[in-house]
Amino acid sequence: MRIARFSVSDDVGYGLIDTDEENGQEYVSRISGHPLMGQIQLTGERAKVEDVRLLSPVLPSKVVCIGKNYADHVAEMSDITGESTEEPVVFLKPSTAVTGPGDPVFYPPISQRVDFEGELAVVISRPCREVPRERAAEVVFGYTVANDVTARDLQKSDKQWTRGKGFDSFCPIGPWIETGLSLEEASDLRVTTTVDGEVRQDGRTSRFIHDIPAVISYVSSFMTLLPGDVLLTGTPAGVGPVEVGSEMSVAVERVGELSNRVITRE
């Protein structure tokens, strides 16, 4: 099941995404209730996806990110982030960094290099802490696509990652949440990023250093995760800079594709 958050004019709601088998057209069917807060029901309202604006599928209290989770990415970034570590590297993006599919990513005037980082993201289903890895599936609501946009020069100069990762619009997520994948299925998905149609990243989640159950168990050992919180699982090799005007598209197999254009803030 694919669950989207969308707007029509000023009306914001949730809906289920389906594809018409005859014409291939995607539709969104409005639901009542909040998908993370209990029972949902179809309202009978249905629209073409192209006729609505898809929003970030959740508004998380926090975005928890895992750095250096692909060995090939660790190698390419060793001069900035150092070598791999025994335990996962964790950092946060503020909720104000979250933006949706099709929304602009703003190039900060104080940065000289902004990079894309395509990732699989996990959406948490319920409040949880100290989750054993064997029970990780119980707290996963579903999966979405994320772009961990980074001001690379600021990340390097600051020696820590909060400013370089935390600008408004630096965490596009979407286009919806895919709830139909098991942990086993999510453990081997293709992750690709293109910039202006050119493939820049092409990896698989099977190359994680720390798998999803390990990440959930580790993060929840020191912070409480809440419904709708988002965990970014790391990016494969191939990260690189974008310019004003660049179109970034991140695709995760069986989940969806997320596109955002880089612009300057007026």
Side-chain angles (χ1 to χ4, degrees), residues 2 17-20 23-28 46-50 54 176:
R2 290 179 168 178
I17 303 293
D18 66 271
T19 304
D20 189 293
N23 60 23
Q25 178 71 55
E26 289 184 330
Y27 290 87
V28 57
R46 192 168 184 250
K48 294 179 180 179
V49 169
E50 63 188 32
L54 293 179
W176 43 63

Coordinates of all heavy atoms in Angstrom, one line a residue, residues 2 17-20 23-28 46-50 54 176:
R2 N 0.5 2.2 -0.8 CA 1.2 3.5 -0.9 C 0.4 4.6 -0.3 O -0.8 4.8 -0.8 CB 1.7 3.8 -2.3 CG 2.8 2.8 -2.8 CD 3.2 3.1 -4.3 NE 4.4 2.4 -4.6 CZ 5.0 2.4 -5.8 NH1 4.5 3.1 -6.7 NH2 6.1 1.7 -6.0
I17 N -2.5 5.6 -3.0 CA -2.1 5.7 -4.4 C -2.3 4.3 -5.1 O -2.0 3.3 -4.6 CB -0.6 6.0 -4.6 CG1 -0.3 7.4 -3.9 CG2 -0.2 6.1 -6.0 CD1 -0.9 8.6 -4.5
D18 N -3.0 4.4 -6.2 CA -3.2 3.2 -7.0 C -3.0 3.5 -8.5 O -3.1 4.7 -8.9 CB -4.5 2.5 -6.8 CG -5.7 3.4 -7.3 OD1 -6.2 4.3 -6.5 OD2 -6.1 3.2 -8.4
T19 N -2.7 2.5 -9.3 CA -2.5 2.7 -10.7 C -3.6 2.0 -11.5 O -3.8 0.8 -11.3 CB -1.1 2.2 -11.1 OG1 -0.1 2.9 -10.4 CG2 -0.9 2.5 -12.6
D20 N -4.2 2.7 -12.4 CA -5.3 2.0 -13.3 C -4.6 1.1 -14.2 O -3.6 1.4 -15.0 CB -6.0 3.1 -14.1 CG -7.2 2.6 -14.8 OD1 -7.0 1.8 -15.8 OD2 -8.3 2.9 -14.5
N23 N -5.0 2.1 -18.2 CA -4.4 3.3 -18.9 C -3.1 3.7 -18.2 O -2.4 4.6 -18.6 CB -5.3 4.5 -18.9 CG -5.8 4.9 -17.5 OD1 -5.1 4.6 -16.5 ND2 -6.9 5.6 -17.5
G24 N -2.7 3.0 -17.1 CA -1.5 3.3 -16.4 C -1.5 4.6 -15.6 O -0.5 5.0 -15.0
Q25 N -2.7 5.2 -15.5 CA -2.8 6.5 -14.8 C -2.8 6.3 -13.3 O -3.4 5.3 -12.8 CB -4.1 7.2 -15.2 CG -4.4 8.5 -14.5 CD -3.5 9.6 -14.9 OE1 -3.4 9.9 -16.1 NE2 -2.8 10.2 -14.0
E26 N -2.0 7.1 -12.6 CA -2.0 7.0 -11.1 C -3.1 7.9 -10.5 O -3.3 9.0 -10.9 CB -0.6 7.5 -10.6 CG 0.5 6.5 -10.8 CD 1.8 6.9 -10.2 OE1 2.0 8.1 -10.1 OE2 2.6 6.0 -9.9
Y27 N -3.7 7.3 -9.5 CA -4.8 8.0 -8.8 C -4.5 8.1 -7.3 O -3.8 7.2 -6.8 CB -6.2 7.4 -9.0 CG -6.7 7.5 -10.4 CD1 -6.3 6.6 -11.4 CD2 -7.6 8.5 -10.8 CE1 -6.8 6.7 -12.7 CE2 -8.0 8.6 -12.0 CZ -7.7 7.7 -13.0 OH -8.2 7.9 -14.3
V28 N -5.1 9.1 -6.6 CA -5.0 9.1 -5.2 C -6.4 9.1 -4.6 O -7.3 9.9 -5.1 CB -4.2 10.4 -4.7 CG1 -4.8 11.7 -5.2 CG2 -4.2 10.4 -3.1
R46 N -11.7 10.7 -5.3 CA -10.5 10.1 -6.0 C -10.1 11.2 -7.1 O -11.0 11.8 -7.7 CB -10.9 8.8 -6.7 CG -9.8 8.0 -7.3 CD -10.3 6.6 -7.6 NE -9.3 5.7 -8.1 CZ -9.2 5.3 -9.4 NH1 -10.1 5.7 -10.3 NH2 -8.2 4.5 -9.7
A47 N -8.8 11.3 -7.2 CA -8.3 12.3 -8.2 C -7.0 11.7 -8.9 O -6.4 10.9 -8.3 CB -8.0 13.6 -7.5
K48 N -6.7 12.2 -10.0 CA -5.5 11.9 -10.7 C -4.3 12.5 -9.9 O -4.4 13.7 -9.4 CB -5.4 12.4 -12.1 CG -6.4 11.8 -13.0 CD -6.3 12.4 -14.4 CE -7.3 11.7 -15.4 NZ -7.2 12.3 -16.8
V49 N -3.2 11.8 -9.7 CA -2.1 12.3 -9.0 C -1.6 13.6 -9.6 O -1.2 14.5 -8.9 CB -1.0 11.2 -8.9 CG1 0.3 11.8 -8.4 CG2 -1.4 10.1 -8.0
E50 N -1.7 13.7 -10.9 CA -1.1 14.8 -11.6 C -2.0 16.1 -11.3 O -1.5 17.2 -11.6 CB -1.1 14.6 -13.1 CG -2.4 14.4 -13.8 CD -2.4 14.0 -15.2 OE1 -1.4 13.3 -15.6 OE2 -3.3 14.3 -16.0
L54 N 1.6 16.6 -4.4 CA 2.1 15.7 -3.4 C 3.0 16.5 -2.4 O 3.9 17.3 -2.8 CB 2.9 14.6 -4.0 CG 2.0 13.6 -4.8 CD1 3.0 12.5 -5.5 CD2 0.9 12.9 -4.0
W176 N 5.7 9.2 -1.5 CA 4.7 8.6 -0.6 C 5.4 7.6 0.3 O 6.6 7.4 0.2 CB 3.7 7.8 -1.4 CG 4.2 7.1 -2.6 CD1 5.1 6.0 -2.6 CD2 4.0 7.4 -4.0 NE1 5.4 5.6 -3.8 CE2 4.8 6.4 -4.7 CE3 3.3 8.3 -4.7 CZ2 4.8 6.4 -6.1 CZ3 3.3 8.3 -6.1 CH2 4.0 7.3 -6.8

